Amino acid sequence: MLLIPIIAGVTAIVFAVFLIIYVLRQEKGTEKMESIAAAIREGSSAYLNRQYKTVTIFAIIISIALAIAINMQTAITFVAGAFCSALAGYIGMNISVRANVKTAKAAGNGLNNALNVAFRGGAVTGMFVVGLALIGVTSFYMFYKNPLLIIGFGFGACLISLFARIGGGIYTKSADVGADLVGKVEAGIPEDDPRNPAVIADNVGDNVGDCAGMGADLFETYAVTALGAMLLGHLLIGEVGVIYPLLLGAGAIFASIIGIFFVRIDKSGSIMRALYMGLIVTAIISAIIFYFITVSLPISIAMFYSSIVGIAVAVSLFAITEYYTTAKYSPVKDIALASETGPGTNIITGLAVGMVSTALPALVICAGILISFYFAGIYGIAIAAMAMVSLTGIVISLDSYGPITDNAGGIAEMAGLNKKTRTITDKLDAVGNTTKAVTKAFAIGSAALAALTLFAAYVQEIDIARIAFGIKEKLVFDIGDPLVLVGLIVGALIPFVFASKCMRAVGKTAFKVVEEVRRQFKKGILKGKAKPDYAKCVDIVTKAALREMRVPALLAVVSPLAVGFILGPVALGGMLIGSIITGLMVAIQMTTGGAAWDNAKKYIESGKLGGKGSETHKAAVVGDTVGDPYKDTAGPAINPLIKVMNTIAIIFASLIVMYALL
C-alpha cells in the first residue's frame, strides 16, 4: 500500500520533467530579450546560491544538536527535509527564469500560447514540491515505521521555508519599493523602465520571493501536515491512520496532473476562469478519488467527509480572497477611490480592508475545524488539513505563474516589444497578482490547520512523555493557570515582533536602494547620458536580505525552546496556541490587504480615476509601497514561523517534560 504514494510522487516528478522539456522547447526571444532574461537568471541563481550557503551553516549546527539531544534519526530526516525543500524551490525557480522570456515571446502569438507557457512553467514547481514531499515522507516511514522519528523531515523543510520566505521577501520588496519610489513617484517613468537601475533586482526578486519562497513554504506545509496527520493516526487509530493521509496526497497528484490540462482560454477570453477551471477540476477529481480510497480501507466513511471539508475550506478561501483583491469588487475600488484625496486616505482605507478581510477566512476555518471534528474528532481535523494541502500541486502552479508573467511583462517593456504583445503580457500580469494573493490565502489557511494538527500531536507527545516518567494524569491547559496565560500572551506577541523585524528590514534596505537609484539618476541616465548599473542594486539587496533574515529566523527557533525549558510544557502549549491565533490573523490581514493595495494601483493604471501619472495614481503607489512588504515579506513568512515553533515543540517534548520534573 505504501508503494502507491511513492509511485504517485515519482509520477509527479516525471510529469514535471515533461513540462520542463515543453517550456525549454518554446521559441526563443530576440537577442535583447534573451540578454535581459539572462541578467534576471544570473541574479536569481546568485542570490539563491548565497542564501543556501548561509542556511547550510544553520542546518549543520541544528542537525548536530538534534543528533546529540534527540537521536540520529531525527537529525538525518532533518537534513533530508531541508535538502528536498531547497531542491524543489531551486529547480522551480530555474525553470521560472527561463519560462519568463519564452512567455513574452509566446505573447506575440496570442493570449492562449502565452498562458500555456507561463502556467506550465509554474506547474514545474508545483509537481516537484508535491512529488519530493510525498516521496520523502513515505520513504522515511517505510524505513523507520514511526512518524515521530521523521518529524525532523518537517522541521528541516520548515527551516528552509523560513529562510526562503524572509530572505526572498526582503530581497523582492526592497528592490520593488526602491524602484517604485524613485522611478514611478519621483521620476514619473513607467514600471520596468530599463533606465531604472533597480529594475533587474525587482525582477530577480519576483523569482526568489514568489517562486522559490512559495515553493519552500508549501513544501513544508505539505510535509508537516502529512506528518501531523500520520502522527495522530499512529497514536489514535493505528497503521491505517498513518497510511490514509499519504494515499490522499497520492490521489490528489493524479487529479492535479489532469487539472493542469484543463487550463486553457475558452470563448469568454477570461484568464482567471481558465486558471480556476484547472483548480475546480482538480478538486472534483480529488474528491472522487478520496471516496474510493476511503471505502477501500478499513476506516470510517467519516474520514471521507472530513476530507471534503478540507477541499471546501480551500475553495472558500480562494473565493473570499479574490473578492477582497480583485478590481471588479468594492474593496479594491474603495481603496482606489480613497486615493483621490491623497496617500493618507489610501493607507487608511487599505488598512481597513486588510483588517476586515480576516473575518470570513477565520469563520471558514472555524467552520472547517468544527465540522471535521464532528465527523472524526481531532484526527478528522488532521485529515481535513491533509485534503486541503493535497491540492498543493495545482495551487503552486497558480502561484508560480505570477512571477513568470510579471517577468514576462518586464522583459516586454525593457525590450521595447510591440503594443499587442505588451497588452497580452499586461493581461497575464494583472491576473498573476490575484493568483499570488489567493494562493497566499491558501498557504495561510493550510498553515493554520497544519499548526493545529501539530499542536494536537504536541499534546499527545507530552502525555506519552509524562506516562514514561510515571505521571498518569493528562496535561490540562486551564485558562485560569497563570502559566497558560503567560504562554498565550508570549505566543500572541511573537508574530507581531517577527513581522516588525521583516518590515523594518525591507524599509532599511529600500532606503539604500532609493539612495543608489537617485545617485545614478544624477549621472543623466534618464537623458541617455549614462547607462544604469543594475549589478549595484542587485548587490545591495542580496547582502541586506542575507544579513537581515537571521534574527527573525533565530526568533522562531529559540523562542519555543526558551519558553519550554524556562516555564515548562504547559506554558509552551499556551504559547503555541497564541502564536497560531494571532499568526493567522496578522498573516491574512497583511497578505490580503497588501494585494488589495497593489490591485487598487493597477486599477488606476488601467485608465480609471485619472490613470498613470495622475495625483491619484501617485497616492496609490504610496499605498502599494506600504502593501508590498505586507503581502510579500512579513505576511507570508508567518506561515513557516508558526510551524517551526510547533515542530520544535514536538521534537523536544520529552526533554522539556524531563527538565520540568527535575
Side-chain angles (χ1 to χ4, degrees):
M1 193 71 76
L2 285 171
L3 285 177
I4 295 175
I6 297 290
I7 292 170
V10 171
T11 302
I13 292 174
V14 170
F15 182 64
V17 172
F18 163 78
L19 293 175
I20 290 172
I21 294 171
Y22 167 82
V23 170
L24 295 181
R25 283 182 174 177
Q26 298 306 301
E27 191 177 355
K28 290 184 178 181
T30 64
E31 185 177 342
K32 189 171 184 180
M33 291 168 67
E34 291 292 337
S35 174
I36 295 165
I40 296 171
R41 186 163 59 247
E42 288 169 11
S44 301
S45 297
Y47 171 74
L48 214 57
N49 288 336
R50 288 172 68 173
Q51 176 179 272
Y52 286 160
K53 286 178 182 177
T54 302
V55 176
T56 298
I57 297 171
F58 281 85
I60 291 172
I61 294 171
I62 292 174
S63 61
I64 293 172
L66 290 174
I68 295 171
I70 309 300
N71 52 54
M72 185 57 70
Q73 294 96 323
T74 301
I76 292 171
T77 55
F78 167 80
V79 172
F83 175 78
C84 288
S85 179
L87 180 63
Y90 194 85
I91 292 173
M93 189 210 69
N94 271 279
I95 296 304
S96 291
V97 295
R98 286 166 173 78
N100 53 13
V101 65
K102 294 181 181 293
T103 299
K105 181 63 177 178
N109 299 320
L111 182 60
N112 211 34
N113 288 334
L115 174 65
N116 283 336
V117 176
F119 184 75
R120 293 182 183 186
V124 171
T125 306
M127 290 296 104
F128 263 105
V129 164
V130 294
L132 288 174
L134 194 59
I135 290 172
V137 171
T138 306
S139 299
F140 277 114
Y141 177 71
M142 292 174 70
F143 190 75
Y144 290 133
K145 299 296 183 183
N146 184 352
L148 184 60
L149 293 177
I150 58 176
I151 199 71
F153 187 88
F155 181 33
C158 285
L159 183 74
I160 293 296
S161 173
L162 190 64
F163 278 105
R165 270 303 188 195
I166 299 170
I170 293 170
Y171 188 113
T172 182
K173 291 304 106 178
S174 298
D176 194 0
V177 170
D180 282 355
L181 284 178
V182 185
K184 286 185 177 180
V185 178
E186 294 183 7
I189 60 177
E191 186 172 0
D192 294 318
D193 191 302
R195 293 172 295 176
N196 192 329
V199 72
I200 293 295
D202 185 10
N203 281 277
V204 169
D206 292 331
N207 294 288
V208 300
D210 286 324
C211 184
M214 178 60 84
D217 187 347
L218 283 178
F219 179 96
E220 58 95 357
T221 297
Y222 190 100
V224 163
T225 303
L227 287 167
M230 291 166 67
L231 191 54
L232 286 177
H234 173 73
L235 297 171
L236 302 176
I237 297 177
E239 188 171 15
V240 69
V242 178
I243 296 174
Y244 184 61
L246 296 175
L247 293 176
L248 295 184
I253 283 178
F254 295 109
S256 296
I257 292 173
I258 296 171
I260 287 170
F261 288 104
F262 277 82
V263 176
R264 54 178 178 264
I265 304 282
D266 59 17
K267 293 180 181 179
S268 69
S270 171
I271 301 171
M272 204 70 207
R273 180 172 176 174
L275 295 172
Y276 275 168
M277 182 58 69
L279 175 68
I280 292 168
V281 168
T282 300
I284 293 172
I285 295 176
S286 294
I288 295 170
I289 294 174
F290 291 172
Y291 172 77
F292 286 106
I293 290 172
T294 306
V295 297
S296 68
L297 295 174
I299 198 167
S300 171
I301 193 66
M303 302 306 173
F304 168 69
Y305 301 146
S306 293
S307 70
I308 297 302
V309 170
I311 293 176
V313 169
V315 174
S316 298
L317 290 177
F318 268 75
I320 292 167
T321 307
E322 183 182 1
Y323 169 74
Y324 280 106
T325 59
T326 303
K328 62 182 178 181
Y329 299 115
S330 60
V332 169
K333 288 182 178 179
D334 288 344
I335 298 173
L337 284 169
S339 304
E340 290 188 317
T341 51
T345 45
N346 169 282
I347 291 173
I348 291 169
T349 307
L351 287 172
V353 168
M355 289 175 183
V356 76
S357 71
T358 62
L360 289 177
L363 293 175
V364 165
I365 291 170
C366 288
I369 291 169
L370 291 174
I371 297 171
S372 57
F373 184 84
Y374 170 79
F375 285 132
I378 193 68
Y379 183 66
I381 297 175
I383 291 303
M386 186 62 205
M388 184 176 177
V389 302
S390 69
L391 303 177
T392 291
I394 192 77
V395 170
I396 294 185
S397 303
L398 291 172
D399 182 81
S400 294
Y401 156 92
I404 291 173
T405 56
D406 196 345
N407 274 197
I411 291 170
E413 176 76 29
M414 287 184 277
L417 300 186
N418 61 59
K419 187 176 180 181
K420 178 186 174 183
T421 299
R422 286 159 67 179
T423 299
I424 290 175
T425 57
D426 285 347
K427 286 181 179 179
L428 293 169
D429 183 25
V431 171
N433 199 48
T434 300
T435 63
K436 287 187 287 186
V438 296
T439 51
K440 285 185 178 74
F442 170 87
I444 293 163
S446 59
L449 288 177
L452 287 172
T453 301
L454 290 173
F455 174 75
Y458 165 75
V459 174
Q460 295 288 333
E461 284 303 313
I462 288 293
D463 285 336
I464 291 172
R466 284 163 63 88
I467 291 171
F469 289 108
I471 303 173
K472 296 182 179 180
E473 298 83 6
K474 290 189 175 182
L475 195 66
V476 176
F477 294 93
D478 185 353
I479 195 67
D481 187 336
L483 286 174
V484 174
L485 284 173
V486 168
L488 284 168
I489 293 170
V490 173
L493 169 69
I494 294 296
F496 287 95
V497 175
F498 178 86
S500 171
K501 292 289 185 184
C502 294
M503 293 286 288
R504 285 179 67 86
V506 172
K508 286 165 58 180
T509 309
F511 180 80
K512 294 178 181 178
V513 174
V514 166
E515 285 189 321
E516 176 59 25
V517 175
R518 284 173 177 168
R519 184 188 69 81
Q520 293 196 38
F521 275 175
K522 288 178 181 178
K523 293 183 177 181
I525 290 174
L526 296 178
K527 296 180 180 180
K529 295 179 180 179
K531 291 184 178 181
D533 182 0
Y534 300 125
K536 183 63 178 177
C537 288
V538 169
D539 187 60
I540 288 172
V541 291
T542 297
K543 290 179 178 177
L546 295 173
R547 182 178 62 252
E548 299 290 344
M549 71 181 182
R550 296 171 187 174
V551 173
L554 284 173
L555 177 67
V557 174
V558 172
S559 57
L561 294 176
V563 170
F565 284 108
I566 294 172
L567 299 179
V570 173
L572 178 55
M575 179 189 186
L576 297 178
I577 287 295
S579 67
I580 293 170
I581 294 170
T582 62
L584 171 64
M585 299 304 167
V586 171
I588 293 174
Q589 189 258 334
M590 285 186 157
T591 55
T592 306
W597 260 315
D598 195 348
N599 276 339
K601 178 200 68 176
K602 283 183 167 58
Y603 176 74
I604 295 169
E605 288 176 343
S606 68
K608 306 293 193 301
L609 304 176
K612 290 183 179 181
S614 65
E615 291 303 313
T616 302
H617 179 241
K618 289 180 180 179
V621 170
V622 173
D624 178 42
T625 299
V626 177
D628 272 340
Y630 252 50
K631 69 182 175 67
D632 290 324
T633 307
I638 291 174
N639 298 345
L641 166 73
I642 59 177
K643 283 172 287 184
V644 163
M645 293 169 65
N646 278 271
T647 51
I648 287 177
I650 293 173
I651 290 172
F652 285 88
S654 295
L655 281 179
I656 290 170
V657 170
M658 182 178 70
Y659 187 80
L661 295 174
L662 291 177

